[in-house]
Amino acid sequence: MFEYFGYIALGVLGTVGVTFGALAIGTVVGMPLAWLRRSRHAIVRMPAVAVIEVLRGVPNLVWLFLVFFGLPQIGIRLDPWSSAILTLGVASAAHIAEIYRGGLAGLSRGQWEASDALGLSRMDRRRLIVLPQMQRVIVPTMATYAIGLLKDSALASTIGVVELTFRGGVVTQRTGDGLTTFLVVGVVYLLLSLPLALAARRVDSRMRAKFSVG
Amino acid sequence: MGMFEEFIGDLVALAPGLRNAAQLAATTIALAYPLGLLLGVLLDNRVRLVRIATLVVVELGRGMPLLVILYLVYRGLPEVGVRLDAMPSAIIAFTWSIGAYSADMFRSSIHAIPPGQREAAIASGLNARDTLRFILLPQAARIAIPPLMNLAIITFQLTSLAYAITLPEIMHAAYLRGSVTFRYLDTFVVAAVLYAVVAIPAALLVRRLERRLSRHLA
């Protein structure tokens, strides 16, 4: 078992790669999605609501199989890595859009009115007033979401992405010791999520210290 | 064969999978929530050793991907002579994972109750057990209901992972069907629809309930 530890540890690269690739896509695609979702016009808002609900309603594994096994039927062939990063990325955009929305909803209307009263431009209002306050609400939620995504990246192993869980399967096949192997793999995930968990908690307590009212 | 017939054919092929998925989700909920309540209470136990042991169980259950826990049970336990079928393996793995998640929800719901409630209960002469039973848990339940219902929906969606240990659930049925018809895309779309028609209305209902329950707090 020990001689395989290096082989398993190398899977960290794949797992972190899929996680951050998907997270990058999600944070970017989530922005326009959140913005459309908040539109005053139902014609714009409703399609955004529908996209978010469908993306969240269908499990990630199903999206993954749709893209990897399904799309070739209409001539779109993606390799396992691109399929995993793209699929998890787009699916997480829906969740991240809702996180952004939660951050915006936390700001009172007075913030916008006060910025207008001070004569700030739209750009300055966004940069100086809205984003810094949103960030406080969003960062812990995003960190928590990133931990979830890290664990979801294990799904990529089912379509042949050679990351932590996949390597665990290979080692189990070779040694027959699935108990030790998958316990090691599981603990590696736990260790990987620690920095994110600490980030979430630190920002969280700093925020509470700052807004200790109520 | 027309598109409609194909769609019906896919639905018929996936129906047994939906039944197994529902069975796995329901059994998990029935076992995981009582376990989670127990773990959630034990997380605040006075005895340090109990607290630490509970924390290890909860953190492993929450920190390891469910897929890894599934493999751990299905491919790992035979190592120590425990050979289980796919369904019992899935139930064990799901109960651990979902139980751990719910433990955290139960605990934070208990913590969300204003401290005056506990203090008043103790001042009224209630012992620790009665305080928990008559004062804290009934109030915590109200706070915990919406997140627990959301977790139930997520549990249903997660049953798709049991595909990996050959449990004949929806994805397993879809994959088999696809390997016969070679219309993988169509069949997986039908699978997606099955999950969505359960998960989306359920999520909308929970959100409405959430708003109702928090009305008096506004």
Side-chain angles (χ1 to χ4, degrees), chain A residues 37 53-54 56-63 65-66 69-71 73-74 98 150-152 154-155 157-158 165 168-170 172-173 175-183 185-187 189-190 193, chain B residues 59-68 71-72 75-77 79-80 96 101 156-158 160-164 171 175 182-189 191-193 195-196 199-200 203-204 207:
Chain A
R37 174 72 179 74
E53 291 304 327
V54 170
R56 298 204 306 172
V58 176
N60 283 340
L61 187 78
V62 182
W63 286 126
F65 277 27
L66 256 175
F69 296 114
L71 288 189
Q73 194 187 322
I74 51 169
E98 291 295 287
L150 175 79
K151 289 185 288 168
D152 272 356
L155 298 186
S157 68
T158 59
T165 306
V170 171
T172 302
Q173 231 156 34
T175 63
D177 186 359
L179 203 59
T180 322
T181 310
F182 282 112
L183 209 55
V185 168
V187 170
Y189 276 102
L190 209 72
S193 65
Chain B
E59 286 306 316
L60 279 178
R62 277 169 15 119
M64 299 196 293
L66 180 51
L67 193 62
V68 173
Y71 287 144
L72 197 60
R75 299 168 71 179
L77 285 188
E79 176 80 1
V80 289
W96 185 7
Y101 273 106
F156 171 69
Q157 294 179 312
L158 284 174
S160 56
L161 297 197
Y163 158 87
M171 293 312 286
Y175 197 84
F182 291 106
R183 293 178 295 103
Y184 281 105
L185 185 62
D186 313 25
T187 313
F188 283 131
V189 167
V193 169
Y195 285 106
I200 295 176
L204 294 177
R207 252 171 274 166

Side-chain angles (χ1 to χ4, degrees), chain B residues 23-104:
Chain B
Q23 195 194 339
L24 172 57
T27 315
T28 299
I29 299 297
L31 296 174
Y33 285 5
L35 174 73
L37 176 59
L38 180 70
L39 291 173
V41 171
L42 288 182
L43 277 171
D44 288 327
N45 196 277
R46 249 173 310 171
V47 185
R48 202 182 145 88
L49 196 67
V50 174
R51 243 180 8 236
I52 291 172
T54 314
L55 194 69
V56 170
V57 171
V58 170
E59 286 306 316
L60 279 178
R62 277 169 15 119
M64 299 196 293
L66 180 51
L67 193 62
V68 173
I69 301 181
L70 278 167
Y71 287 144
L72 197 60
V73 173
Y74 188 69
R75 299 168 71 179
L77 285 188
E79 176 80 1
V80 289
V82 183
R83 215 169 281 279
L84 294 171
D85 281 340
M87 186 55 112
S89 301
I91 290 173
I92 293 174
F94 271 69
T95 301
W96 185 7
S97 175
I98 302 299
Y101 273 106
S102 68
D104 206 50

Side-chain angles (χ1 to χ4, degrees), chain A residues 107 111-112 114-116 118-133:
Chain A
L107 294 188
Q111 297 288 335
W112 273 268
S115 321
D116 284 344
L118 288 169
L120 291 183
S121 69
R122 282 173 77 95
M123 201 53 210
D124 280 349
R125 183 177 69 195
R126 200 167 297 156
R127 196 167 58 89
L128 301 171
I129 308 295
V130 177
L131 282 181
Q133 296 190 71

Side-chain angles (χ1 to χ4, degrees), chain A residues 6-30:
Chain A
Y7 176 77
I8 291 179
L10 212 57
V12 169
L13 290 179
T15 291
V16 170
V18 171
T19 304
F20 279 96
L23 199 61
I25 294 177
T27 43
V28 173
V29 179

